């Protein structure tokens, strides 16, 4: 029993060691050479370690300010940021273990469903592994609250729900974007259902006139620098921190700032948060760059001819300026929700999310522009940004162990897909008396 306990609770329950073992097995199955195996395992382990370090920076920079806001306004302030909230989940061993199990099992069930499901549009392999990992963490914290589920049922239900989503949602964007992607890729970014909404918003509020296409408009060259997410965050995060500080008041922030001017301190915290994102994403890239080949090699042998479902930035080049208009609209929408939650004294104050505004906004803008030009892109970003932010008020209280951390998940499909599903599951549980 001592040996079994050591294996389960010291090795398999440690996500860093566990994922290193998974990378090792995946590479050995593919009969990679020893240097490739060592490279893949080392970068998997160090990548997840860097990810945790970056998440720690995010938490240390944000938590004190959010706690001051919560105490000053008697609310639960929250910033929807997938990368950061995943760092919080890593601090809970049993939840982190469940998340890793859901992540791995859902991927393999997804591959099985892709193989068994007929139809070309469903032959997609979801390869945005970091979002799969983040979403598995969402399941690991939410299902115990919604269903009162133990660890076993959390893993089972989370695996099935995620596998179904990874298999069938990319078919939506594959069909929707086939004319301009040439059926080479599809989207795998928790935005697939939202892209349908963006498409129709583009049609309703935009124009089919080709001259209205955002990519045919002449804009200043300096605007291109905002395609770099680091630059966007550099300017955006200090503004968000200062906005939070204004809501708290100079006296409250001054207690945190010490001898530093409280506005300057908030700006520096914004820079620190940005640095944490950059560090965290570098860890994600290293981790994903090592773990995905182990999965992809297996999927290529198992599912020949399948199309990859990829991260949001792979769609940006299809309409660069459409994406920028979507980003602008999403920023306006997210900030509007922040002011509305404060004005109406919402129990949850939703701060503008960099993920929603930049990544979702760009994707929504691409689909909105393809359907209705620059106005379609702008309004697609605006409405989806507002919906994504407002939905946080509903699903944040369902997130169990991370509720109150000041961080939660983002992306439009959390609003359109997962919030309704979670409340439906909760209703079923109540009706059945569980």
């Amino acid at each position: 029993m001592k040996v079994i306990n050591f294996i389960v609770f010291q090795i398999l329950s440690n996500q860093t060691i566990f994922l290193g073992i998974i990378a090792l097995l995946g590479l050995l199955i593919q009969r990679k050479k020893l240097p490739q195996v060592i490279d893949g395992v080392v970068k998997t382990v160090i990548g997840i370690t860097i990810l945790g370090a970056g998440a720690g920076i995010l938490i240390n920079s944000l938590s004190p300010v959010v706690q001051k806001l919560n105490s000053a306004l008697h609310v639960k302030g929250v910033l929807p940021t997938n990368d950061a909230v995943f760092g919080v989940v890593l601090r809970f061993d049993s939840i982190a273990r469940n998340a890793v199990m859901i992540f791995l099992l859902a991927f393999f069930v997804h591959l099985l469903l892709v193989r068994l499901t007929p139809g070309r549009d469903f032959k997609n392999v979801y390869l945005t592994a970091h979002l799969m990992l983040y979403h598995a963490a969402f399941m690991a914290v939410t299902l115990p609250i919604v269903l009162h589920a133990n660890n076993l049922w959390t893993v089972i239900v989370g695996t099935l729900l995620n596998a179904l989503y990874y298999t069938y949602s990319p078919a939506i964007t594959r069909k929707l974007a086939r004319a301009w992607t040439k059926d080479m890729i599809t989207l795998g970014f928790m935005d697939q259902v939202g892209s349908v909404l963006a498409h129709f918003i583009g049609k309703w509020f935009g124009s089919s006139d080709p001259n209205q296409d955002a990519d045919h408009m002449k804009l200043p060259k300096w605007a291109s620098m905002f395609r770099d997410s680091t630059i966007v965050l550099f300017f955006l995060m200090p503004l968000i921190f200062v906005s939070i500080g204004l809501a708290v008041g100079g006296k409250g922030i001054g207690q945190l700032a010490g001898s530093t001017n409280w506005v300057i301190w908030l700006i520096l915290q914004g820079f620190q948060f940005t640095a944490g994102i950059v560090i965290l994403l570098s860890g994600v890239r290293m981790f994903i760059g090592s773990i995905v080949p182990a999965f992809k090699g297996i999927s290529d042998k198992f599912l020949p001819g399948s199309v990859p479902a990829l991260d949001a930035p792979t769609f940006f080049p299809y309409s660069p300026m459409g994406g920028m208009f979507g980003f602008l609209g999403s920023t306006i929408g997210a900030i509007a929700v922040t002011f509305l939650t404060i004005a109406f004294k919402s129990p949850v104050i939703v701060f503008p999310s960099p993920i929603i505004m930049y990544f979702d906004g760009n994707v929504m803008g691409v689909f909105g522009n393809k359907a209705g030009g620059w106005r379609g892109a702008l309004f697609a970003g605006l409405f989806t940004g507002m919906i994504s932010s407002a939905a946080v008020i509903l699903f944040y209280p369902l997130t169990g162990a991370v509720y109150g951390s000041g961080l939660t998940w983002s992306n439009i499909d959390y609003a359109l897909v997962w919030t309704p599903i979670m409340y439906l599951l909760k209703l079923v549980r109540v009706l059945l008396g569980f």
Side-chain angles (χ1 to χ4, degrees):
M1 285 302 297
K2 288 184 178 179
V3 174
I4 294 173
N5 286 339
F6 177 80
I7 293 173
V8 172
F9 296 106
Q10 298 298 322
I11 296 178
L12 297 183
S13 64
N14 185 304
Q15 62 276 1
T16 303
I17 297 175
F18 185 39
L19 288 171
I21 293 172
I22 294 299
L24 175 64
L25 293 175
L27 294 166
L28 290 176
I29 289 171
Q30 297 176 68
R31 298 185 179 181
K32 296 291 185 180
K33 294 181 179 179
L34 181 61
Q36 293 174 298
V37 173
I38 293 173
D39 181 83
V41 173
V42 168
K43 288 182 178 177
T44 296
V45 171
I46 299 303
I48 198 73
T49 303
I50 293 173
L51 191 157
I57 293 175
L58 299 180
I59 294 166
N60 291 335
S61 63
L62 181 65
S63 292
V65 182
V66 171
Q67 288 171 7
K68 279 291 181 185
L69 179 73
N70 293 343
S71 61
L73 300 182
H74 305 289
V75 298
K76 293 288 185 182
V78 60
L79 178 67
T81 307
N82 292 331
D83 314 282
V85 74
F86 179 66
V88 177
V89 174
L90 289 179
R91 297 190 169 193
F92 301 94
D93 289 340
S94 62
I95 296 174
R97 183 178 65 248
N98 290 344
V100 170
M101 291 300 297
I102 292 169
F103 163 68
L104 294 171
L105 293 173
F107 185 80
F108 285 113
V109 174
H110 158 58
L111 294 181
L112 181 62
L113 288 174
V114 171
R115 187 173 181 86
L116 296 177
T117 304
R120 179 181 65 169
D121 287 342
F122 298 107
K123 302 302 181 183
N124 313 297
V125 180
Y126 206 101
L127 292 179
T128 317
H130 65 291
L131 282 182
M132 295 170 70
L133 192 57
Y134 299 163
H135 187 56
F138 173 80
M139 290 293 181
V141 300
T142 306
L143 289 175
I145 301 300
V146 171
L147 292 178
H148 293 177
N150 59 22
N151 289 338
L152 176 62
W153 280 106
T154 294
V155 171
I156 291 172
V157 176
T159 295
L160 293 176
L161 289 175
N162 282 10
L164 290 170
Y165 178 80
Y166 301 149
T167 303
Y168 300 114
S169 67
I172 298 170
T173 44
R174 182 173 181 178
K175 187 172 183 178
L176 196 61
R178 179 174 286 127
W180 35 278
T181 61
K182 309 304 180 186
D183 211 28
M184 297 298 293
I185 64 170
T186 187
L187 186 66
F189 187 70
M190 306 299 295
D191 278 0
Q192 291 80 254
V193 176
S195 297
V196 177
L197 180 59
H199 172 81
F200 283 105
I201 291 174
K203 278 186 172 295
W204 295 332
F205 291 90
S207 169
S208 58
D209 182 356
N211 295 322
Q212 298 297 308
D213 191 311
D215 296 304
H216 296 159
M217 300 176 65
K218 292 184 178 180
L219 292 175
K221 291 184 178 179
W222 59 265
S224 63
M225 69 178 178
F226 289 107
R227 294 190 180 116
D228 187 328
S229 60
T230 302
I231 293 176
V232 172
L233 291 169
F234 176 85
F235 289 103
L236 180 63
M237 293 313 303
L239 291 176
I240 292 175
F241 272 83
V242 171
S243 298
I244 297 172
L246 291 174
V248 173
K251 184 178 180 180
I253 299 298
Q255 296 172 359
L256 300 173
S259 59
T260 306
N261 176 272
W262 66 275
V263 176
I264 297 296
W265 185 84
L266 287 168
I267 292 172
L268 293 175
Q269 293 301 107
F271 293 158
Q272 184 176 355
F273 191 95
T274 301
I277 287 284
V278 172
I279 293 170
L280 186 148
L281 292 178
S282 69
V284 167
R285 284 190 291 269
M286 182 181 291
F287 166 65
I288 297 303
S290 302
I291 201 74
V292 166
F295 286 131
K296 191 177 184 302
I298 296 169
S299 67
D300 284 345
K301 294 178 182 179
F302 189 57
L303 301 166
S306 58
V307 170
L310 300 174
D311 205 346
T314 60
F315 269 65
F316 296 175
Y318 290 107
S319 181
M321 292 314 302
M324 290 305 297
F325 275 103
F327 167 54
L328 175 61
S330 186
T331 300
I332 295 170
I335 292 173
V337 169
T338 298
F339 282 110
L340 287 172
T341 54
I342 294 173
F344 287 97
K345 302 185 186 305
S346 168
V348 176
I349 303 298
V350 185
F351 302 126
S353 165
I355 302 297
I356 292 173
M357 292 186 292
Y358 183 73
F359 291 100
D360 276 30
N362 267 275
V363 172
M364 299 299 104
V366 170
F367 282 90
N369 182 57
K370 292 295 184 181
W374 69 270
R375 288 201 307 273
L378 182 68
F379 281 100
L382 174 67
F383 287 121
T384 57
M386 293 187 73
I387 292 169
S388 296
S389 296
V392 171
I393 300 171
L394 295 176
F395 74 73
Y396 182 48
L398 301 179
T399 54
V402 303
Y403 182 59
S405 68
L407 296 164
T408 195
W409 286 262
S410 50
N411 300 115
I412 182 64
D413 279 8
Y414 282 101
L416 299 180
V417 179
W418 297 109
T419 299
I421 285 177
M422 289 304 163
Y423 275 95
L424 179 61
L425 290 175
K426 184 177 180 180
L427 177 61
V428 171
R429 189 258 301 167
V430 170
L431 291 176
L432 295 177
F434 293 152

